[in-house]
Amino acid sequence: MDREQKARDSGVVVPEPGTADPAANGQVDLAGMQREFERALLGGERKFTRLEVSERAGISSDRAERMWRALGFATAPDDEVAFTDDDVEALRLVAALEDDNFVAEEMESSLARKLGQTQSRLASWQSAMFLEFLGGSKLSADEAIEVAGQLLPAMERLQTYVWRRHLAAAAGRAVAGSDELARGIRAVGFADIVSYTRLARRMTETELGQLIERFEGMAADVVALNGGRVIKSIGDEVLFVTDTAAQGAAVALALQEAVTAAGDLPELRIGLSYGSILIRLGDVYGEVVNLAARLTAECKPGRVLVDRELAAALDGHPAYRLRRLRRVSVRGYHHLVPYAVQRVESQ
């Protein structure tokens, strides 16, 4: 089934290719499309300057500019008409969160920055996906803009649904969590593709993109299936957390098993650490995260290394076998004791 048929089946009506397309061979006027897309996506015309939008939002221009930069947007000149009614409303909403004491003043920029970074990555992926769709279609510029206008509300609903489901799951974990979870005790793991730099030099951009897509998709499936959460993907590496040491070991070993079963994916190195972490705006920080990264760097391909604390938490667990290895000296940790973890074979 081609992409246009899938779009139709999902409720998005793709127009039949037009006969009056001014661009040859299905090539669209990208500059004109950009202007039309912008008008549709921004929800209205640009009609306010930077100072006017802050006045209408009821906040100082300095505060508005700080939030705008934190969201990841370039500073607009004072006399440039760059903002819409939706920009005014967005500034009012962010300011209201602080004014109602829901978000502390020092957290306002951090909240905006994390929202901006997350949505920027999502928007970049979505725009690339849409351009790929256009490249395989024969739609004129007007038809492409019509499809984009129909896709937008569907994507908004889908994103809201996913966000609410994740929020419900996070709230449920917080309410039902143990004392350890309340104190931020987690297992943290890094899964790293072996020889990624060498692979990247040998592959075309398309091949590299396909490899990363397969790796990230496999990792997301395995982590979720075993009760963990992916914190972020950084090209050749995935950072994940679990609520318990046993879940961390389950994720790591399942990842290695999935790569082996695939047969054509590069090997992984995985390091795990266990302890108290700082969870801030969706990311994780602290010594435990650093230890997991160091263990990953020391790990041999196809293996899983854990630190002393995670090994102690798994001690006596019937599903896992631990083997203490020689101490190693790595940056920041001169006497790091790694443990190799394996699954106990069922009889």
Side-chain angles (χ1 to χ4, degrees):
M1 184 182 298
D2 62 28
R3 288 173 294 183
E4 293 180 35
Q5 184 61 50
K6 289 180 180 178
R8 292 188 183 96
D9 291 346
S10 67
V12 176
V13 179
V14 180
E16 292 298 324
T19 58
D21 187 356
N25 300 321
Q27 296 298 313
V28 296
D29 175 9
L30 293 180
M33 284 180 61
Q34 181 181 9
R35 290 190 295 271
E36 293 299 323
F37 281 149
E38 182 182 86
R39 186 177 295 112
L41 294 172
L42 292 182
E45 297 289 339
R46 297 176 184 260
K47 53 186 178 181
F48 303 124
T49 65
R50 184 171 66 87
L51 297 178
E52 289 170 341
V53 78
S54 60
E55 288 175 0
R56 282 165 172 75
I59 63 176
S60 71
S61 60
D62 287 343
R63 185 180 179 189
E65 179 66 15
R66 187 171 63 249
M67 285 192 283
W68 187 249
R69 287 199 306 268
L71 286 168
F73 301 117
T75 301
D78 288 347
D79 60 348
E80 181 179 339
V81 178
F83 301 96
T84 69
D85 289 317
D86 283 353
D87 292 312
V88 175
E89 182 61 21
L91 285 177
R92 285 174 178 162
L93 288 172
V94 176
L97 290 175
E98 180 188 325
D99 295 341
D100 293 341
N101 297 316
F102 184 77
V103 175
E105 179 180 357
E106 61 272 14
M107 288 292 292
E108 183 179 78
S109 292
S110 294
L111 173 63
R113 185 166 56 252
K114 187 58 68 174
L115 281 172
Q117 291 170 352
T118 302
Q119 296 302 319
S120 175
R121 292 185 66 189
L122 181 61
S124 294
W125 172 76
Q126 289 170 335
S127 62
M129 181 178 65
F130 188 67
L131 286 175
E132 182 183 355
F133 167 79
L134 290 182
S137 72
K138 295 185 176 67
L139 299 181
S140 68
D142 288 342
E143 291 166 342
I145 291 165
E146 182 181 349
V147 172
Q150 294 168 349
L151 278 172
L152 182 61
M155 292 303 297
E156 283 182 328
R157 290 195 299 271
L158 179 60
Q159 287 168 201
T160 299
Y161 159 76
V162 175
W163 168 68
R164 285 181 175 272
R165 290 295 301 184
H166 277 295
L167 189 61
R173 289 193 300 269
V175 171
S178 64
D179 179 60
E180 282 191 338
L181 292 182
R183 290 185 285 114
I185 306 296
R186 303 287 194 283
V188 176
F190 282 95
D192 178 58
I193 295 176
V194 175
S195 301
Y196 175 77
T197 301
R198 178 165 53 82
L199 288 170
R201 286 199 297 263
R202 292 189 346 224
M203 290 181 166
T204 66
E205 289 185 2
T206 299
E207 290 171 337
L208 184 60
Q210 291 171 344
L211 170 63
I212 295 300
E213 180 67 23
R214 285 189 65 196
F215 170 58
E216 290 184 350
M218 180 199 71
D221 289 345
V222 170
V223 171
L225 183 62
N226 289 278
R229 297 174 299 286
V230 172
I231 299 300
K232 56 187 173 184
S233 300
I234 315 168
D236 61 328
E237 192 171 62
V238 167
L239 169 61
F240 63 89
V241 299
T242 64
D243 292 341
T244 68
Q247 287 175 327
V251 166
L253 293 170
L255 280 171
Q256 295 289 20
E257 291 159 0
V259 167
T260 300
D264 60 345
L265 287 173
E267 292 184 294
L268 301 180
R269 287 186 292 255
I270 302 178
L272 283 169
S273 186
Y274 186 64
S276 178
I277 60 175
L278 171 63
I279 304 173
R280 185 173 181 271
L281 294 173
D283 213 337
V284 292
Y285 306 88
E287 184 178 15
V288 171
V289 182
N290 296 336
L291 271 171
R294 302 293 186 272
L295 287 166
T296 303
E298 290 296 312
C299 189
K300 291 182 179 180
R303 297 177 70 177
V304 176
L305 292 186
V306 305
D307 71 341
R308 191 199 309 266
E309 283 68 26
L310 197 142
L314 288 181
D315 188 32
H317 196 291
Y320 305 110
R321 179 188 303 114
L322 295 154
R323 181 166 59 90
R324 177 172 170 161
L325 305 179
R326 290 187 306 172
R327 291 184 179 184
V328 294
S329 179
V330 298
R331 181 164 56 90
Y333 304 93
H334 296 300
H335 302 287
L336 178 61
V337 180
Y339 291 76
V341 61
Q342 296 176 307
R343 204 182 295 278
V344 173
E345 298 296 334
S346 58
Q347 300 299 322

